[in-house]
Amino acid sequence: MSTEPSGIVVVGSINADLVVTLERHPQPGETLLGRTMTVMPGGKGANQAVAAANLGARTTMIGAVGQDAYTVVALSGLHAAGVDTSAIQRVGTTTGVAIVEVDDGGENTIVVIPGANAEVTPELVAASAETIADAAVLVLQGEIPATSVAASVALARGRVVINLAPVINLDRATLLRADPLVVNEHEGALVLAQLTGSDPSDPADHADHADHADHAQTTRALLACGFASVVMTLGGSGALLASATDLLEIPAPTVQVVDTTGAGDAFTGALAARLSAGDSLADAVRVAVLVGAFAVGTEGAQPSYPSLTDQLPAAPTTSSITTGQETDA
Ligand code: RIB
């Protein structure tokens, strides 16, 4: 008997983050003294699962860890947030690790060693076929093999949210199931280049100097490729939401930035949580912007995510940069 899809399933990466704080990032060939090193749970998939569960969503994580010194910490945040971890497999390689450097301005650089995340194969995904099919919202990122993202999407009966971070090569049909596709400005430019066959270096370079009008244009151009909806995250400037009926600009509140690590994951997890609770996409993005802003206020990814008892920053006024009805997508 088939039941109505419910809850959130995240298929994705699980890491231990080795977070180093330092005054500034070193130049190539330079040695610097850092300040602190802390090991925290991370991985874009696990971060998104924790962000969603913290906001009350019933959340299941599908992925893989190794059996080494980092396994316990990598899973600790999922356990603490009450995420269902029963589908996570233990494989014979090391748990994924990320070296995260955070400078005094809160900006980070991240090097990821995938380890067990590379073992999230289509076969591992197929072992959770029913769980994926039963999800109201399936959430995916780019830190597991593209074939496994495609296998997950093929099993989905509910809504599919793809946060293509990092950008990997997905087949067009898989990618276009995203509703929404969630990307930052760099990722958006790269995905657009992938879909239109243009030179990927040009739009990515351009994204560094692009203004709001350029971001809106990229978001619209992505939508024109066939997505039902596209959300572009713009860090401290909030987010853009494009759907068939609208292009909304959703500004972020001004907050003190301590560490931006995992703020995009907090955004995506919150977005999925609100969608699974029945919000419109526009309302879900509004909450996600506030959750992302909250998450930059303390160090680390998962430890910085709000729960239902935390006070989110107040929302600034929302403006629509095109006319039209707000989307109910
Ligand atoms: O988005 C932040 C995450 O990226 C970190 O937690 C790290 O593990 C990498 O996956």
Side-chain angles (χ1 to χ4, degrees):
M1 190 183 72
S2 111
T3 52
E4 276 301 295
S6 69
I8 295 174
V9 170
V10 180
V11 183
S13 56
I14 305 166
N15 291 338
D17 287 357
L18 279 49
V19 182
V20 173
T21 58
L22 72 182
E23 187 183 342
R24 63 174 177 84
H25 295 289
Q27 302 292 325
E30 186 183 18
T31 300
L32 284 180
L33 295 184
R35 292 211 180 90
T36 58
M37 203 283 278
T38 318
V39 186
M40 301 181 188
K44 292 185 194 302
N47 292 347
Q48 293 173 8
V50 167
N54 277 2
L55 296 181
R58 187 166 57 78
T59 308
T60 300
M61 178 83 212
I62 295 170
V65 292
Q67 307 185 43
D68 56 276
Y70 292 122
T71 308
V72 171
V73 69
L75 293 172
S76 61
L78 293 164
H79 290 148
V83 174
D84 182 343
T85 58
S86 56
I88 296 173
Q89 294 195 14
R90 306 271 174 146
V91 296
T93 183
T94 52
T95 296
V97 169
I99 317 293
V100 182
E101 292 183 357
V102 184
D103 72 10
D104 280 353
E107 284 302 329
N108 64 41
T109 61
I110 304 180
V111 176
V112 177
I113 295 93
N117 298 307
E119 307 293 319
V120 180
T121 58
E123 291 73 31
L124 184 149
V125 166
S128 296
E130 249 181 74
T131 306
I132 293 170
D134 286 348
V137 181
L138 172 67
V139 184
L140 298 146
Q141 326 74 35
E143 285 188 331
I144 58 170
T147 48
S148 304
V149 174
S152 304
V153 168
L155 292 164
R157 289 193 298 140
R159 188 166 196 155
V160 175
V161 175
I162 301 181
N163 172 218
L164 207 59
V167 175
I168 53 173
N169 268 310
L170 292 182
D171 66 89
R172 196 180 183 94
T174 296
L175 193 52
L176 292 180
R177 278 290 308 279
D179 179 17
L181 171 76
V182 181
V183 283
N184 66 23
E185 61 264 49
H186 299 279
E187 294 152 0
L190 285 169
V191 175
L192 186 60
Q194 260 185 21
L195 287 170
T196 59
S198 55
D199 177 356
S201 63
D202 293 340
D205 289 348
H206 181 60
D208 283 330
H209 315 287
D211 62 16
H212 233 67
D214 294 319
H215 299 323
Q217 197 182 0
T218 305
T219 309
R220 272 202 196 94
L222 281 167
L223 194 74
C225 290
F227 289 101
S229 60
V230 176
V231 173
M232 181 178 285
T233 58
L234 299 171
S237 299
L240 290 168
L241 161 59
S243 70
T245 51
D246 222 349
L247 182 64
L248 282 180
E249 178 187 356
I250 298 169
T254 304
V255 291
Q256 184 79 31
V257 177
V258 174
D259 179 4
T260 57
T261 308
D265 303 330
F267 179 101
T268 301
L271 181 80
R274 292 314 311 165
L275 288 175
S276 76
D279 278 8
S280 71
L281 182 54
D283 284 346
V285 174
R286 287 190 185 101
V287 174
V289 164
L290 302 182
V291 169
F294 185 99
V296 302
T298 45
E299 199 181 300
Q302 292 171 32
S304 70
Y305 295 171
S307 60
L308 287 172
T309 54
D310 285 310
Q311 177 83 44
L312 295 178
T317 315
T318 300
S319 59
S320 176
I321 56 176
T322 60
T323 53
Q325 294 295 306
E326 261 189 29
T327 178
D328 274 338

mmCIF file of all heavy atoms in Angstrom, residues 249-255 282-283 285-291 293-294 311-319:
data_model
loop_
_atom_site.group_PDB
_atom_site.id
_atom_site.type_symbol
_atom_site.label_atom_id
_atom_site.label_comp_id
_atom_site.label_asym_id
_atom_site.label_seq_id
_atom_site.Cartn_x
_atom_site.Cartn_y
_atom_site.Cartn_z
ATOM 1 N N GLU A 249 13.178 39.228 -4.328
ATOM 2 C CA GLU A 249 14.438 39.497 -3.633
ATOM 3 C C GLU A 249 14.128 39.449 -2.150
ATOM 4 O O GLU A 249 13.259 40.199 -1.681
ATOM 5 C CB GLU A 249 14.938 40.876 -4.044
ATOM 6 C CG GLU A 249 16.202 41.290 -3.356
ATOM 7 C CD GLU A 249 16.558 42.741 -3.675
ATOM 8 O OE1 GLU A 249 15.839 43.364 -4.491
ATOM 9 O OE2 GLU A 249 17.527 43.232 -3.118
ATOM 10 N N ILE A 250 14.798 38.572 -1.425
ATOM 11 C CA ILE A 250 14.509 38.438 0.002
ATOM 12 C C ILE A 250 15.757 38.855 0.772
ATOM 13 O O ILE A 250 16.747 38.111 0.802
ATOM 14 C CB ILE A 250 14.056 36.992 0.319
ATOM 15 C CG1 ILE A 250 12.768 36.730 -0.474
ATOM 16 C CG2 ILE A 250 13.841 36.809 1.823
ATOM 17 C CD1 ILE A 250 12.305 35.326 -0.510
ATOM 18 N N PRO A 251 15.767 40.055 1.336
ATOM 19 C CA PRO A 251 16.978 40.577 1.964
ATOM 20 C C PRO A 251 17.283 39.878 3.287
ATOM 21 O O PRO A 251 16.383 39.337 3.935
ATOM 22 C CB PRO A 251 16.664 42.055 2.184
ATOM 23 C CG PRO A 251 15.182 42.134 2.243
ATOM 24 C CD PRO A 251 14.636 41.009 1.437
ATOM 25 N N ALA A 252 18.559 39.900 3.675
ATOM 26 C CA ALA A 252 18.967 39.304 4.954
ATOM 27 C C ALA A 252 19.095 40.406 5.994
ATOM 28 O O ALA A 252 19.415 41.549 5.654
ATOM 29 C CB ALA A 252 20.308 38.596 4.786
ATOM 30 N N PRO A 253 18.884 40.071 7.273
ATOM 31 C CA PRO A 253 19.122 41.065 8.320
ATOM 32 C C PRO A 253 20.623 41.320 8.463
ATOM 33 O O PRO A 253 21.433 40.465 8.110
ATOM 34 C CB PRO A 253 18.560 40.387 9.575
ATOM 35 C CG PRO A 253 18.570 38.934 9.279
ATOM 36 C CD PRO A 253 18.443 38.782 7.794
ATOM 37 N N THR A 254 20.992 42.471 8.963
ATOM 38 C CA THR A 254 22.406 42.758 9.223
ATOM 39 C C THR A 254 22.794 42.117 10.550
ATOM 40 O O THR A 254 22.147 42.363 11.568
ATOM 41 C CB THR A 254 22.618 44.287 9.290
ATOM 42 O OG1 THR A 254 22.132 44.827 8.060
ATOM 43 C CG2 THR A 254 24.085 44.635 9.456
ATOM 44 N N VAL A 255 23.812 41.271 10.503
ATOM 45 C CA VAL A 255 24.238 40.556 11.721
ATOM 46 C C VAL A 255 25.757 40.596 11.829
ATOM 47 O O VAL A 255 26.453 40.855 10.851
ATOM 48 C CB VAL A 255 23.768 39.074 11.707
ATOM 49 C CG1 VAL A 255 22.269 38.968 11.855
ATOM 50 C CG2 VAL A 255 24.239 38.354 10.444
ATOM 51 N N ALA A 282 8.166 30.826 -1.220
ATOM 52 C CA ALA A 282 8.584 32.178 -0.823
ATOM 53 C C ALA A 282 8.697 32.284 0.695
ATOM 54 O O ALA A 282 9.682 32.825 1.224
ATOM 55 C CB ALA A 282 7.597 33.205 -1.368
ATOM 56 N N ASP A 283 7.719 31.752 1.428
ATOM 57 C CA ASP A 283 7.785 31.811 2.895
ATOM 58 C C ASP A 283 8.932 30.959 3.426
ATOM 59 O O ASP A 283 9.608 31.335 4.391
ATOM 60 C CB ASP A 283 6.454 31.332 3.502
ATOM 61 C CG ASP A 283 5.374 32.393 3.381
ATOM 62 O OD1 ASP A 283 5.719 33.563 3.091
ATOM 63 O OD2 ASP A 283 4.188 32.049 3.555
ATOM 64 N N VAL A 285 11.753 30.368 1.919
ATOM 65 C CA VAL A 285 13.008 31.103 1.682
ATOM 66 C C VAL A 285 13.175 32.210 2.720
ATOM 67 O O VAL A 285 14.276 32.456 3.213
ATOM 68 C CB VAL A 285 13.070 31.665 0.245
ATOM 69 C CG1 VAL A 285 14.298 32.552 0.059
ATOM 70 C CG2 VAL A 285 13.097 30.536 -0.782
ATOM 71 N N ARG A 286 12.080 32.870 3.081
ATOM 72 C CA ARG A 286 12.166 33.943 4.088
ATOM 73 C C ARG A 286 12.715 33.396 5.411
ATOM 74 O O ARG A 286 13.581 34.007 6.030
ATOM 75 C CB ARG A 286 10.791 34.564 4.319
ATOM 76 C CG ARG A 286 10.354 35.435 3.174
ATOM 77 C CD ARG A 286 9.102 36.254 3.499
ATOM 78 N NE ARG A 286 8.720 36.936 2.286
ATOM 79 C CZ ARG A 286 7.724 36.538 1.478
ATOM 80 N NH1 ARG A 286 6.992 35.488 1.786
ATOM 81 N NH2 ARG A 286 7.470 37.195 0.372
ATOM 82 N N VAL A 287 12.219 32.242 5.839
ATOM 83 C CA VAL A 287 12.720 31.642 7.082
ATOM 84 C C VAL A 287 14.182 31.202 6.892
ATOM 85 O O VAL A 287 15.040 31.424 7.758
ATOM 86 C CB VAL A 287 11.847 30.442 7.512
ATOM 87 C CG1 VAL A 287 12.454 29.735 8.710
ATOM 88 C CG2 VAL A 287 10.431 30.885 7.822
ATOM 89 N N ALA A 288 14.475 30.621 5.731
ATOM 90 C CA ALA A 288 15.833 30.110 5.476
ATOM 91 C C ALA A 288 16.870 31.234 5.531
ATOM 92 O O ALA A 288 17.980 31.046 6.037
ATOM 93 C CB ALA A 288 15.868 29.413 4.115
ATOM 94 N N VAL A 289 16.508 32.421 5.029
ATOM 95 C CA VAL A 289 17.430 33.565 5.081
ATOM 96 C C VAL A 289 17.738 33.917 6.542
ATOM 97 O O VAL A 289 18.899 34.188 6.896
ATOM 98 C CB VAL A 289 16.821 34.770 4.321
ATOM 99 C CG1 VAL A 289 17.534 36.069 4.685
ATOM 100 C CG2 VAL A 289 16.895 34.537 2.817
ATOM 101 N N LEU A 290 16.730 33.886 7.406
ATOM 102 C CA LEU A 290 16.942 34.223 8.821
ATOM 103 C C LEU A 290 17.779 33.155 9.515
ATOM 104 O O LEU A 290 18.643 33.461 10.342
ATOM 105 C CB LEU A 290 15.595 34.394 9.535
ATOM 106 C CG LEU A 290 14.649 35.452 8.956
ATOM 107 C CD1 LEU A 290 13.381 35.557 9.781
ATOM 108 C CD2 LEU A 290 15.351 36.815 8.874
ATOM 109 N N VAL A 291 17.532 31.897 9.170
ATOM 110 C CA VAL A 291 18.312 30.795 9.763
ATOM 111 C C VAL A 291 19.772 30.892 9.313
ATOM 112 O O VAL A 291 20.696 30.720 10.108
ATOM 113 C CB VAL A 291 17.682 29.433 9.392
ATOM 114 C CG1 VAL A 291 18.596 28.273 9.753
ATOM 115 C CG2 VAL A 291 16.339 29.268 10.095
ATOM 116 N N ALA A 293 21.326 33.625 8.511
ATOM 117 C CA ALA A 293 21.899 34.776 9.226
ATOM 118 C C ALA A 293 22.234 34.403 10.663
ATOM 119 O O ALA A 293 23.275 34.804 11.202
ATOM 120 C CB ALA A 293 20.920 35.946 9.194
ATOM 121 N N PHE A 294 21.388 33.612 11.297
ATOM 122 C CA PHE A 294 21.656 33.150 12.665
ATOM 123 C C PHE A 294 22.938 32.323 12.699
ATOM 124 O O PHE A 294 23.762 32.443 13.602
ATOM 125 C CB PHE A 294 20.473 32.303 13.160
ATOM 126 C CG PHE A 294 20.581 31.856 14.599
ATOM 127 C CD1 PHE A 294 19.909 32.538 15.603
ATOM 128 C CD2 PHE A 294 21.341 30.741 14.950
ATOM 129 C CE1 PHE A 294 20.005 32.120 16.938
ATOM 130 C CE2 PHE A 294 21.444 30.322 16.271
ATOM 131 C CZ PHE A 294 20.773 31.014 17.269
ATOM 132 N N GLN A 311 15.862 32.559 19.212
ATOM 133 C CA GLN A 311 15.263 33.754 18.603
ATOM 134 C C GLN A 311 16.018 34.069 17.311
ATOM 135 O O GLN A 311 17.216 34.351 17.344
ATOM 136 C CB GLN A 311 15.397 34.913 19.600
ATOM 137 C CG GLN A 311 14.899 36.240 19.108
ATOM 138 C CD GLN A 311 13.392 36.356 19.283
ATOM 139 O OE1 GLN A 311 12.844 35.984 20.321
ATOM 140 N NE2 GLN A 311 12.715 36.834 18.251
ATOM 141 N N LEU A 312 15.329 34.030 16.187
ATOM 142 C CA LEU A 312 15.975 34.384 14.917
ATOM 143 C C LEU A 312 16.074 35.900 14.795
ATOM 144 O O LEU A 312 15.270 36.627 15.387
ATOM 145 C CB LEU A 312 15.159 33.829 13.742
ATOM 146 C CG LEU A 312 15.074 32.305 13.628
ATOM 147 C CD1 LEU A 312 14.187 31.907 12.445
ATOM 148 C CD2 LEU A 312 16.454 31.691 13.475
ATOM 149 N N PRO A 313 17.065 36.401 14.015
ATOM 150 C CA PRO A 313 17.124 37.841 13.792
ATOM 151 C C PRO A 313 15.839 38.323 13.109
ATOM 152 O O PRO A 313 15.183 37.551 12.412
ATOM 153 C CB PRO A 313 18.325 38.026 12.847
ATOM 154 C CG PRO A 313 18.971 36.701 12.710
ATOM 155 C CD PRO A 313 18.089 35.656 13.276
ATOM 156 N N ALA A 314 15.496 39.581 13.347
ATOM 157 C CA ALA A 314 14.263 40.121 12.743
ATOM 158 C C ALA A 314 14.440 40.269 11.241
ATOM 159 O O ALA A 314 15.517 40.635 10.763
ATOM 160 C CB ALA A 314 13.938 41.469 13.365
ATOM 161 N N ALA A 315 13.394 39.972 10.491
ATOM 162 C CA ALA A 315 13.452 40.058 9.018
ATOM 163 C C ALA A 315 13.358 41.505 8.570
ATOM 164 O O ALA A 315 12.489 42.233 9.035
ATOM 165 C CB ALA A 315 12.308 39.261 8.423
ATOM 166 N N PRO A 316 14.254 41.934 7.662
ATOM 167 C CA PRO A 316 14.056 43.256 7.066
ATOM 168 C C PRO A 316 12.874 43.219 6.101
ATOM 169 O O PRO A 316 12.345 42.153 5.800
ATOM 170 C CB PRO A 316 15.372 43.516 6.322
ATOM 171 C CG PRO A 316 16.059 42.219 6.215
ATOM 172 C CD PRO A 316 15.384 41.218 7.106
ATOM 173 N N THR A 317 12.485 44.371 5.587
ATOM 174 C CA THR A 317 11.346 44.428 4.679
ATOM 175 C C THR A 317 11.645 43.649 3.407
ATOM 176 O O THR A 317 12.736 43.765 2.846
ATOM 177 C CB THR A 317 11.057 45.889 4.281
ATOM 178 O OG1 THR A 317 11.111 46.643 5.465
ATOM 179 C CG2 THR A 317 9.712 46.022 3.608
ATOM 180 N N THR A 318 10.698 42.829 2.951
ATOM 181 C CA THR A 318 10.869 42.073 1.713
ATOM 182 C C THR A 318 10.428 42.917 0.529
ATOM 183 O O THR A 318 9.419 43.590 0.594
ATOM 184 C CB THR A 318 10.004 40.797 1.750
ATOM 185 O OG1 THR A 318 10.432 40.024 2.858
ATOM 186 C CG2 THR A 318 10.151 39.986 0.485
ATOM 187 N N SER A 319 11.236 42.909 -0.532
ATOM 188 C CA SER A 319 10.813 43.644 -1.725
ATOM 189 C C SER A 319 10.785 42.703 -2.909
ATOM 190 O O SER A 319 11.589 41.795 -3.014
ATOM 191 C CB SER A 319 11.789 44.784 -1.999
ATOM 192 O OG SER A 319 13.080 44.269 -2.191
#
